[in-house]
């Protein structure tokens, strides 16, 4: 039986829903066992596994030893971004979780990610989606490494520029929902003034 180590990166603030998202990830791992995916044993490591004596050293060790990283980047946390940088530098397969109710750094949005709403944290569908993604990352790790998964030819990728009145922001948000699948598969890149950081 193959052993898979997963390190879960997240911040502890309210926006990150630390405990609830950790429970969802744990439930996704349990779900994989329930549906008969027993060819591997998954061990999940979280910040709770750290002794806090030498935090930076322990985090570096956990990132280095992990087969897969799951990163909940639903709030701005310098620590989480640092750990993501380590994962990226070490070419670790990484699953990103984003709360779709919050504004996110546009640098993250060109990567593959799973979105969730706070009200969906008890959803069976979210658990199943994360479980399916973990299974895919175990079997196809190269697809989950930054810049090594689906490489699109920049000549074929289209940029969609949205010009709109701010009073019509509701329509922009509706459009983004429908465009998201095309962004995820690399067909288009959506750009609007909401990506400008002030």
């Amino acid at each position: 039986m193959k052993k898979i180590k997963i390190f879960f990166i997240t911040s502890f603030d309210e926006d990150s829903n630390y405990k609830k998202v950790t429970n969802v990830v744990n439930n996704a791992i349990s779900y994989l066992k329930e549906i008969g995916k027993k060819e591997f044993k998954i061990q999940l490591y979280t910040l709770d596994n750290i002794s806090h004596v030498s935090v930076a050293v322990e985090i570096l060790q956990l990132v280095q030893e992990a087969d897969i990283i799951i990163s909940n980047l639903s709030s701005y946390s310098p620590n989480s971004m640092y750990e993501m940088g380590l994962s990226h530098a070490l070419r670790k397969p990484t699953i990103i979780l984003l709360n779709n109710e919050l504004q996110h750094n546009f640098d993250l949005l060109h990567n593959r990610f799973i979105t969730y709403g706070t009200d969906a944290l008890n959803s069976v569908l979210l658990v199943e989606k994360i479980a399916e993604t973990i299974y895919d990352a175990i079997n196809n790790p190269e697809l989950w490494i930054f810049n090594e998964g689906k490489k699109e030819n920049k000549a074929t990728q289209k940029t969609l520029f949205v010009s709109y009145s701010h009073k019509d922001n509701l329509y922009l948000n509706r459009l983004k929902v429908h465009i998201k699948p095309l962004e995820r598969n690399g067909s288009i890149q959506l750009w609007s003034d909401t990506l400008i950081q002030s």
Side-chain angles (χ1 to χ4, degrees), residues 107-167:
D107 290 337
L108 293 173
L109 301 181
H110 69 280
N111 297 297
R112 299 173 75 181
F113 55 86
I114 297 172
T115 60
Y116 65 88
T118 306
D119 58 342
L121 287 173
N122 296 319
S123 163
V124 173
L125 292 176
L126 180 61
V127 169
E128 290 174 355
K129 178 63 178 172
I130 293 172
E132 172 188 304
T133 306
I134 291 169
Y135 190 70
D136 188 50
I138 290 169
N139 291 301
N140 304 294
E142 68 284 350
L143 296 178
W144 294 93
I145 297 173
F146 287 129
N147 300 322
E148 293 197 14
K150 191 168 186 174
K151 296 194 179 188
E152 292 293 330
N153 181 346
K154 287 292 181 185
T156 61
Q157 186 183 50
K158 306 294 183 198
T159 299
L160 177 64
F161 174 76
V162 180
S163 177
Y164 68 105
S165 169
H166 285 185
K167 69 179 183 181

Side-chain angles (χ1 to χ4, degrees), residues 60-75:
L60 176 58
Q61 184 175 356
L62 284 170
V63 172
Q64 285 176 322
E65 292 176 357
D67 298 295
I68 296 171
I69 304 292
I70 297 178
S71 187
N72 179 33
L73 295 178
S74 293
S75 65

Side-chain angles (χ1 to χ4, degrees), residues 38-52:
K38 297 180 181 177
E39 64 265 32
F40 44 77
K41 179 179 181 182
I42 299 175
Q43 179 66 50
L44 181 68
Y45 295 90
T46 68
L47 297 176
D48 296 328
N49 299 112
I50 295 174
S51 69
H52 299 288

Side-chain angles (χ1 to χ4, degrees), residues 17-62:
N17 289 295
Y18 171 72
K19 287 186 178 178
K20 289 181 179 178
V21 180
T22 304
N23 285 338
V24 170
V25 172
N26 272 314
N27 290 340
I29 291 168
S30 297
Y31 176 77
L32 284 173
K33 292 176 190 170
E34 287 172 22
I35 61 170
K37 306 297 184 189
K38 297 180 181 177
E39 64 265 32
F40 44 77
K41 179 179 181 182
I42 299 175
Q43 179 66 50
L44 181 68
Y45 295 90
T46 68
L47 297 176
D48 296 328
N49 299 112
I50 295 174
S51 69
H52 299 288
V53 175
S54 54
V55 176
V57 172
E58 289 184 60
I59 287 174
L60 176 58
Q61 184 175 356
L62 284 170

